[in-house]
Amino acid sequence: MTTNLRLPGRPEELTLPALLARNAAEHGELPALSWREGEKWTTLTWSEVRRKAAVLAAGYASLGVERGDHVLLMMGNRPEHWLSDLALVHLGAVPVTVYGTSAPEQIAHIARHSRARLAVVEGARERERWEPLLADPGVPLERLVVAEAAEAGRHSTYGSLYAGGARLHRAEAFEKGWRESRPEDPLTVVYTSGTTGDPKGVRLTHRNIMLQAVRLDRHTELPEHAEHICYLPFAHIAERLLGIYLPLLRAAHVRLVADPAAVAAAVRELRPVQFFGVPRVWEKLAAGVRAVLSRLPEEQQRAIEDAGDVARARAGHRERGEEVPAALEAAYAEAKERVLDPLLGLAGLDRLVWTASATAPMPIDVVRFWAGWGITVMDAWGLTETSGVCTVNSPDGFRLGSVGRPIEGLELRLAEDGEILTRGATVFDGYLRADGTVESAADAEGWFATGDIGRLDADGFLWITDRKKELIITSTGKNVSPALVENTVKEHPLIGQALVHGDGRSYLVALLVLDPELAPAWAAARGIEATGTDGLAAHPAVLEEIGRAVAAANARLNRTEQIKRYKVLAEEWGPESGELTPSLKLRRRVVREKYGPLIEELYEASYEAP
């Protein structure tokens, strides 16, 4: 367990404001929140955070925000966002973060569905997307607050909101207000990212989240008050848990990184002891390391490979629950000191003691890659509807490639078709309806069907197979896991992303995207001259190597799972172009629609393989 800090009540009776009150009283001088202003970090202590939250609460109250109101937030990972979230909770209001990449129709849907009267947005770009909703009679939205004062125009500014709160703040009213919060009150509504349709509003209570935080904390071993690099969107339950709720529990230090693309630079600078990344982040980091390694002298590459073999052998003993042989432990210590840590230090990864991933299946080759550096990525699994985590690997029990075992207090079983069912106090009570009521998603016995397919091994570890709605059913009636096939072919360093298609067809086809970092390095090492990934995607030598990669993947797959035809693409998929969700999960429907004609070509008899 990370923290032995005093809890201001039993876990099932906690509220978020009670944790902030404890932190200000008992850890008031410790750093709580930091963000960059130019080249320097600005930091607030826990006592300062609580004072600012109190002032902001008065400011939001002056705008008419009341207990139970939903308030929409569309800002990046900046202090105005983090502090507003806390302030609104202290009022008894319900903060609802909206992804910054949301399309106008998604924003309108959430604004209408949540019945929010106030939205707090970052700047001009966001303001322009929200302003039309103020004139829409079907949307209850009445007012905008703009964080960047120079961009506010005719709307309220965050600065004026804070100034007004400073004038109106009364300590007695603030203390009385937050103490009215109850564990069963809603703490937030998180709208799902809409991979298969309109976002759904998941209402989570203080009790859901506080129990989740306490139980998850028991599975980690970190120094007290450890820093957390906060770079994923607050609209995602993972960052809400890791970047707001767990730091409140642990009295930890949150470092806000406003631009997700700057996270690698932040890691290099801060050398964190903990780091969470969705699978695509770990894939990108691995690709970057591999690209650097490919340019090293052969002798140094061999030394790194040998050190990696030692690290993986040690991880294997730990994975099996065995004591690591003394000779192997000594060899690992030497390899770590002489070979691994100096290189990891260049990337800021040499102090890591806890690393984790979640949200999508983690490619096993990526897990094994990091194990070769002495970094055991503790994969977890859960959903927004389960307050973030259902199962987790931990240092005292893990299986690489699995998503771990259920957290305390959570029941789990498999339906006949392999769908994972779960129930417990951390599972939400239902989806928000447009009239403000909640529609239960559990069956008569309280089991929630997650939509994920998996299997349990003899030791109780869960292995995720795929999403139920994403399973491919071929024309012959065979079920195929697209993630299994995609992760297998992606093990080749040239292939950064993949989509497999074959629903209702007699065979599978694939779209394969070149890795924008590794592909140029691979080509340069072989003296291949081509301009950018566009040129590489058409180069005969690259296509020949991709062909070998597909053949190697097919050799490990059964006949139904094999890729028969494919197309190599140069343009990487991302949230801005719509193929990935903001949490970097593949939007299969979007990719299939965008590349529909190309997919159809792959099924035409006249198609010529590359």
Side-chain angles (χ1 to χ4, degrees), residues 409-450:
L410 191 91
E411 296 180 81
L412 184 149
R413 69 180 177 87
L414 302 181
E416 289 185 5
D417 63 356
E419 183 174 8
I420 306 164
L421 310 179
T422 186
R423 69 180 177 185
T426 53
V427 179
F428 78 141
D429 57 1
Y431 293 108
L432 188 69
R433 293 191 181 103
D435 63 1
T437 60
V438 170
E439 178 183 3
S440 175
D443 66 16
E445 296 179 341
W447 291 100
F448 171 65
T450 65

Short mmCIF file of all heavy atoms in Angstrom, two decimals, residues 409-450:
data_model
loop_
_atom_site.label_atom_id
_atom_site.label_comp_id
_atom_site.label_asym_id
_atom_site.label_seq_id
_atom_site.Cartn_x
_atom_site.Cartn_y
_atom_site.Cartn_z
N GLY A 409 -13.36 -6.44 -3.00
CA GLY A 409 -14.76 -6.06 -2.97
C GLY A 409 -15.47 -6.13 -4.30
O GLY A 409 -16.67 -5.82 -4.38
N LEU A 410 -14.78 -6.55 -5.36
CA LEU A 410 -15.39 -6.63 -6.68
C LEU A 410 -15.56 -8.10 -7.08
O LEU A 410 -14.59 -8.85 -7.06
CB LEU A 410 -14.55 -5.91 -7.72
CG LEU A 410 -15.28 -5.72 -9.05
CD1 LEU A 410 -16.02 -4.39 -9.06
CD2 LEU A 410 -14.32 -5.78 -10.22
N GLU A 411 -16.75 -8.47 -7.45
CA GLU A 411 -17.01 -9.82 -7.94
C GLU A 411 -16.94 -9.84 -9.46
O GLU A 411 -17.31 -8.86 -10.12
CB GLU A 411 -18.40 -10.29 -7.50
CG GLU A 411 -18.57 -10.43 -6.01
CD GLU A 411 -19.97 -10.89 -5.66
OE1 GLU A 411 -20.24 -12.11 -5.74
OE2 GLU A 411 -20.81 -10.02 -5.34
N LEU A 412 -16.51 -10.97 -9.98
CA LEU A 412 -16.34 -11.09 -11.43
C LEU A 412 -16.68 -12.51 -11.84
O LEU A 412 -16.28 -13.47 -11.18
CB LEU A 412 -14.90 -10.73 -11.79
CG LEU A 412 -14.47 -10.68 -13.25
CD1 LEU A 412 -13.37 -9.64 -13.42
CD2 LEU A 412 -13.97 -12.03 -13.71
N ARG A 413 -17.41 -12.65 -12.94
CA ARG A 413 -17.66 -13.97 -13.51
C ARG A 413 -17.83 -13.83 -15.01
O ARG A 413 -18.02 -12.72 -15.53
CB ARG A 413 -18.88 -14.64 -12.88
CG ARG A 413 -20.22 -14.01 -13.21
CD ARG A 413 -21.34 -14.79 -12.51
NE ARG A 413 -22.66 -14.22 -12.73
CZ ARG A 413 -23.45 -14.50 -13.76
NH1 ARG A 413 -23.05 -15.37 -14.69
NH2 ARG A 413 -24.64 -13.93 -13.87
N LEU A 414 -17.76 -14.96 -15.72
CA LEU A 414 -17.88 -14.97 -17.17
C LEU A 414 -19.23 -15.56 -17.58
O LEU A 414 -19.65 -16.58 -17.04
CB LEU A 414 -16.76 -15.79 -17.81
CG LEU A 414 -15.32 -15.34 -17.50
CD1 LEU A 414 -14.34 -16.24 -18.24
CD2 LEU A 414 -15.10 -13.88 -17.88
N ALA A 415 -19.89 -14.91 -18.53
CA ALA A 415 -21.11 -15.45 -19.11
C ALA A 415 -20.75 -16.60 -20.04
O ALA A 415 -19.57 -16.87 -20.31
CB ALA A 415 -21.86 -14.35 -19.86
N GLU A 416 -21.76 -17.28 -20.55
CA GLU A 416 -21.52 -18.44 -21.41
C GLU A 416 -20.73 -18.08 -22.66
O GLU A 416 -19.95 -18.89 -23.16
CB GLU A 416 -22.85 -19.09 -21.80
CG GLU A 416 -23.54 -19.81 -20.64
CD GLU A 416 -24.78 -20.55 -21.09
OE1 GLU A 416 -25.05 -20.59 -22.32
OE2 GLU A 416 -25.50 -21.10 -20.23
N ASP A 417 -20.94 -16.87 -23.18
CA ASP A 417 -20.21 -16.46 -24.39
C ASP A 417 -18.88 -15.80 -24.09
O ASP A 417 -18.21 -15.29 -24.99
CB ASP A 417 -21.08 -15.52 -25.23
CG ASP A 417 -21.42 -14.21 -24.51
OD1 ASP A 417 -21.03 -14.07 -23.32
OD2 ASP A 417 -22.07 -13.35 -25.12
N GLY A 418 -18.45 -15.82 -22.81
CA GLY A 418 -17.17 -15.25 -22.44
C GLY A 418 -17.22 -13.79 -22.02
O GLY A 418 -16.20 -13.23 -21.61
N GLU A 419 -18.42 -13.17 -22.08
CA GLU A 419 -18.50 -11.77 -21.66
C GLU A 419 -18.26 -11.66 -20.16
O GLU A 419 -18.75 -12.46 -19.37
CB GLU A 419 -19.86 -11.16 -22.02
CG GLU A 419 -19.94 -9.68 -21.66
CD GLU A 419 -21.23 -9.01 -22.14
OE1 GLU A 419 -22.13 -9.73 -22.61
OE2 GLU A 419 -21.33 -7.77 -22.04
N ILE A 420 -17.53 -10.63 -19.77
CA ILE A 420 -17.17 -10.45 -18.37
C ILE A 420 -18.28 -9.67 -17.66
O ILE A 420 -18.69 -8.59 -18.10
CB ILE A 420 -15.84 -9.68 -18.24
CG1 ILE A 420 -14.75 -10.37 -19.06
CG2 ILE A 420 -15.43 -9.55 -16.78
CD1 ILE A 420 -13.54 -9.50 -19.31
N LEU A 421 -18.77 -10.24 -16.56
CA LEU A 421 -19.80 -9.61 -15.74
C LEU A 421 -19.17 -9.24 -14.40
O LEU A 421 -18.33 -9.97 -13.88
CB LEU A 421 -20.97 -10.57 -15.51
CG LEU A 421 -21.58 -11.25 -16.74
CD1 LEU A 421 -22.71 -12.19 -16.33
CD2 LEU A 421 -22.08 -10.22 -17.75
N THR A 422 -19.60 -8.12 -13.84
CA THR A 422 -19.02 -7.68 -12.58
C THR A 422 -20.06 -6.99 -11.72
O THR A 422 -21.05 -6.45 -12.23
CB THR A 422 -17.83 -6.73 -12.84
OG1 THR A 422 -17.18 -6.43 -11.61
CG2 THR A 422 -18.27 -5.46 -13.52
N ARG A 423 -19.84 -7.01 -10.41
CA ARG A 423 -20.70 -6.27 -9.49
C ARG A 423 -19.90 -5.94 -8.23
O ARG A 423 -18.93 -6.62 -7.89
CB ARG A 423 -21.96 -7.05 -9.16
CG ARG A 423 -21.77 -8.30 -8.32
CD ARG A 423 -23.10 -9.00 -8.04
NE ARG A 423 -22.90 -10.24 -7.29
CZ ARG A 423 -23.88 -11.10 -7.01
NH1 ARG A 423 -25.13 -10.85 -7.42
NH2 ARG A 423 -23.63 -12.19 -6.32
N GLY A 424 -20.32 -4.88 -7.56
CA GLY A 424 -19.63 -4.43 -6.36
C GLY A 424 -19.90 -2.96 -6.12
O GLY A 424 -20.54 -2.27 -6.93
N ALA A 425 -19.37 -2.45 -5.02
CA ALA A 425 -19.66 -1.07 -4.60
C ALA A 425 -19.00 -0.03 -5.49
O ALA A 425 -19.36 1.15 -5.44
CB ALA A 425 -19.22 -0.87 -3.15
N THR A 426 -18.01 -0.43 -6.30
CA THR A 426 -17.37 0.53 -7.19
C THR A 426 -18.02 0.56 -8.58
O THR A 426 -17.59 1.33 -9.44
CB THR A 426 -15.87 0.21 -7.34
OG1 THR A 426 -15.73 -1.16 -7.72
CG2 THR A 426 -15.13 0.45 -6.04
N VAL A 427 -19.02 -0.26 -8.80
CA VAL A 427 -19.75 -0.26 -10.07
C VAL A 427 -20.85 0.79 -10.00
O VAL A 427 -21.56 0.89 -8.99
CB VAL A 427 -20.35 -1.64 -10.37
CG1 VAL A 427 -21.12 -1.63 -11.69
CG2 VAL A 427 -19.24 -2.69 -10.41
N PHE A 428 -21.01 1.59 -11.05
CA PHE A 428 -21.97 2.69 -11.05
C PHE A 428 -23.40 2.17 -10.91
O PHE A 428 -23.67 0.99 -11.11
CB PHE A 428 -21.82 3.52 -12.31
CG PHE A 428 -22.43 2.93 -13.57
CD1 PHE A 428 -23.09 3.74 -14.48
CD2 PHE A 428 -22.36 1.58 -13.86
CE1 PHE A 428 -23.65 3.22 -15.63
CE2 PHE A 428 -22.92 1.05 -15.01
CZ PHE A 428 -23.58 1.88 -15.90
N ASP A 429 -24.30 3.11 -10.59
CA ASP A 429 -25.70 2.67 -10.42
C ASP A 429 -26.52 2.83 -11.68
O ASP A 429 -27.69 2.42 -11.72
CB ASP A 429 -26.38 3.41 -9.25
CG ASP A 429 -26.35 4.92 -9.41
OD1 ASP A 429 -25.82 5.41 -10.43
OD2 ASP A 429 -26.86 5.62 -8.51
N GLY A 430 -25.94 3.42 -12.73
CA GLY A 430 -26.67 3.49 -13.99
C GLY A 430 -26.29 4.68 -14.85
O GLY A 430 -25.53 5.56 -14.44
N TYR A 431 -26.83 4.68 -16.07
CA TYR A 431 -26.58 5.76 -17.02
C TYR A 431 -27.56 6.91 -16.77
O TYR A 431 -28.75 6.70 -16.51
CB TYR A 431 -26.74 5.27 -18.45
CG TYR A 431 -25.69 4.26 -18.86
CD1 TYR A 431 -26.01 2.92 -19.02
CD2 TYR A 431 -24.38 4.65 -19.09
CE1 TYR A 431 -25.06 1.98 -19.40
CE2 TYR A 431 -23.42 3.74 -19.48
CZ TYR A 431 -23.75 2.40 -19.63
OH TYR A 431 -22.79 1.49 -20.00
N LEU A 432 -27.05 8.12 -16.89
CA LEU A 432 -27.86 9.31 -16.71
C LEU A 432 -28.86 9.44 -17.86
O LEU A 432 -28.50 9.31 -19.03
CB LEU A 432 -26.95 10.54 -16.68
CG LEU A 432 -27.59 11.88 -16.30
CD1 LEU A 432 -27.99 11.88 -14.85
CD2 LEU A 432 -26.60 13.02 -16.61
N ARG A 433 -30.12 9.68 -17.50
CA ARG A 433 -31.15 9.97 -18.51
C ARG A 433 -31.21 11.48 -18.72
O ARG A 433 -30.74 12.27 -17.90
CB ARG A 433 -32.51 9.47 -18.05
CG ARG A 433 -32.68 7.95 -17.94
CD ARG A 433 -34.16 7.62 -17.75
NE ARG A 433 -34.41 6.20 -17.60
CZ ARG A 433 -34.67 5.59 -16.44
NH1 ARG A 433 -34.70 6.31 -15.31
NH2 ARG A 433 -34.91 4.30 -16.39
N ALA A 434 -31.83 11.87 -19.83
CA ALA A 434 -31.92 13.30 -20.14
C ALA A 434 -32.76 14.07 -19.13
O ALA A 434 -32.61 15.28 -18.99
CB ALA A 434 -32.49 13.48 -21.55
N ASP A 435 -33.64 13.37 -18.39
CA ASP A 435 -34.47 14.06 -17.39
C ASP A 435 -33.80 14.11 -16.02
O ASP A 435 -34.40 14.56 -15.04
CB ASP A 435 -35.85 13.40 -17.29
CG ASP A 435 -35.77 11.94 -16.80
OD1 ASP A 435 -34.65 11.46 -16.52
OD2 ASP A 435 -36.83 11.31 -16.70
N GLY A 436 -32.56 13.63 -15.93
CA GLY A 436 -31.83 13.67 -14.67
C GLY A 436 -31.92 12.42 -13.84
O GLY A 436 -31.18 12.28 -12.86
N THR A 437 -32.81 11.51 -14.18
CA THR A 437 -32.88 10.24 -13.47
C THR A 437 -31.79 9.30 -13.99
O THR A 437 -31.09 9.61 -14.95
CB THR A 437 -34.26 9.59 -13.63
OG1 THR A 437 -34.50 9.34 -15.02
CG2 THR A 437 -35.35 10.51 -13.08
N VAL A 438 -31.68 8.15 -13.35
CA VAL A 438 -30.64 7.19 -13.72
C VAL A 438 -31.28 5.88 -14.13
O VAL A 438 -32.18 5.38 -13.46
CB VAL A 438 -29.66 6.98 -12.54
CG1 VAL A 438 -28.72 5.81 -12.83
CG2 VAL A 438 -28.85 8.24 -12.28
N GLU A 439 -30.79 5.33 -15.22
CA GLU A 439 -31.29 4.05 -15.72
C GLU A 439 -30.30 2.96 -15.38
O GLU A 439 -29.13 2.98 -15.82
CB GLU A 439 -31.48 4.12 -17.24
CG GLU A 439 -31.95 2.82 -17.87
CD GLU A 439 -32.06 2.92 -19.38
OE1 GLU A 439 -31.71 3.97 -19.93
OE2 GLU A 439 -32.49 1.92 -20.00
N SER A 440 -30.73 2.00 -14.58
CA SER A 440 -29.83 0.92 -14.17
C SER A 440 -29.36 0.12 -15.38
O SER A 440 -30.11 -0.13 -16.31
CB SER A 440 -30.54 0.00 -13.18
OG SER A 440 -29.70 -1.11 -12.87
N ALA A 441 -28.10 -0.32 -15.32
CA ALA A 441 -27.54 -1.15 -16.39
C ALA A 441 -27.23 -2.55 -15.90
O ALA A 441 -26.62 -3.34 -16.62
CB ALA A 441 -26.28 -0.50 -16.95
N ALA A 442 -27.65 -2.86 -14.67
CA ALA A 442 -27.38 -4.17 -14.09
C ALA A 442 -28.60 -5.07 -14.23
O ALA A 442 -29.73 -4.60 -14.39
CB ALA A 442 -27.01 -4.03 -12.62
N ASP A 443 -28.37 -6.38 -14.14
CA ASP A 443 -29.50 -7.31 -14.19
C ASP A 443 -30.14 -7.44 -12.81
O ASP A 443 -29.75 -6.74 -11.86
CB ASP A 443 -29.07 -8.67 -14.75
CG ASP A 443 -28.09 -9.42 -13.84
OD1 ASP A 443 -27.96 -9.05 -12.65
OD2 ASP A 443 -27.47 -10.38 -14.32
N ALA A 444 -31.09 -8.32 -12.68
CA ALA A 444 -31.84 -8.44 -11.44
C ALA A 444 -30.96 -8.83 -10.25
O ALA A 444 -31.29 -8.53 -9.10
CB ALA A 444 -32.97 -9.47 -11.61
N GLU A 445 -29.83 -9.49 -10.52
CA GLU A 445 -28.93 -9.91 -9.45
C GLU A 445 -27.79 -8.92 -9.23
O GLU A 445 -26.88 -9.18 -8.44
CB GLU A 445 -28.36 -11.29 -9.77
CG GLU A 445 -29.42 -12.39 -9.82
CD GLU A 445 -28.82 -13.75 -10.16
OE1 GLU A 445 -27.67 -13.78 -10.69
OE2 GLU A 445 -29.47 -14.76 -9.90
N GLY A 446 -27.84 -7.79 -9.95
CA GLY A 446 -26.82 -6.76 -9.76
C GLY A 446 -25.59 -6.89 -10.62
O GLY A 446 -24.63 -6.12 -10.46
N TRP A 447 -25.58 -7.83 -11.57
CA TRP A 447 -24.41 -8.01 -12.44
C TRP A 447 -24.45 -7.03 -13.60
O TRP A 447 -25.46 -6.88 -14.28
CB TRP A 447 -24.35 -9.44 -12.99
CG TRP A 447 -24.04 -10.47 -11.95
CD1 TRP A 447 -24.92 -11.29 -11.32
CD2 TRP A 447 -22.74 -10.79 -11.43
NE1 TRP A 447 -24.27 -12.11 -10.43
CE2 TRP A 447 -22.92 -11.82 -10.47
CE3 TRP A 447 -21.46 -10.32 -11.66
CZ2 TRP A 447 -21.86 -12.37 -9.76
CZ3 TRP A 447 -20.40 -10.87 -10.96
CH2 TRP A 447 -20.61 -11.89 -10.03
N PHE A 448 -23.31 -6.38 -13.84
CA PHE A 448 -23.18 -5.46 -14.96
C PHE A 448 -22.40 -6.15 -16.08
O PHE A 448 -21.29 -6.65 -15.85
CB PHE A 448 -22.46 -4.18 -14.53
CG PHE A 448 -22.07 -3.27 -15.66
CD1 PHE A 448 -23.04 -2.66 -16.45
CD2 PHE A 448 -20.73 -3.04 -15.94
CE1 PHE A 448 -22.67 -1.83 -17.50
CE2 PHE A 448 -20.35 -2.20 -16.99
CZ PHE A 448 -21.33 -1.61 -17.77
N ALA A 449 -22.96 -6.18 -17.27
CA ALA A 449 -22.29 -6.79 -18.43
C ALA A 449 -21.36 -5.77 -19.05
O ALA A 449 -21.80 -4.72 -19.54
CB ALA A 449 -23.33 -7.26 -19.44
N THR A 450 -20.07 -6.04 -19.05
CA THR A 450 -19.06 -5.05 -19.44
C THR A 450 -18.91 -4.88 -20.94
O THR A 450 -18.37 -3.87 -21.40
CB THR A 450 -17.69 -5.43 -18.85
OG1 THR A 450 -17.25 -6.66 -19.44
CG2 THR A 450 -17.77 -5.58 -17.34
#
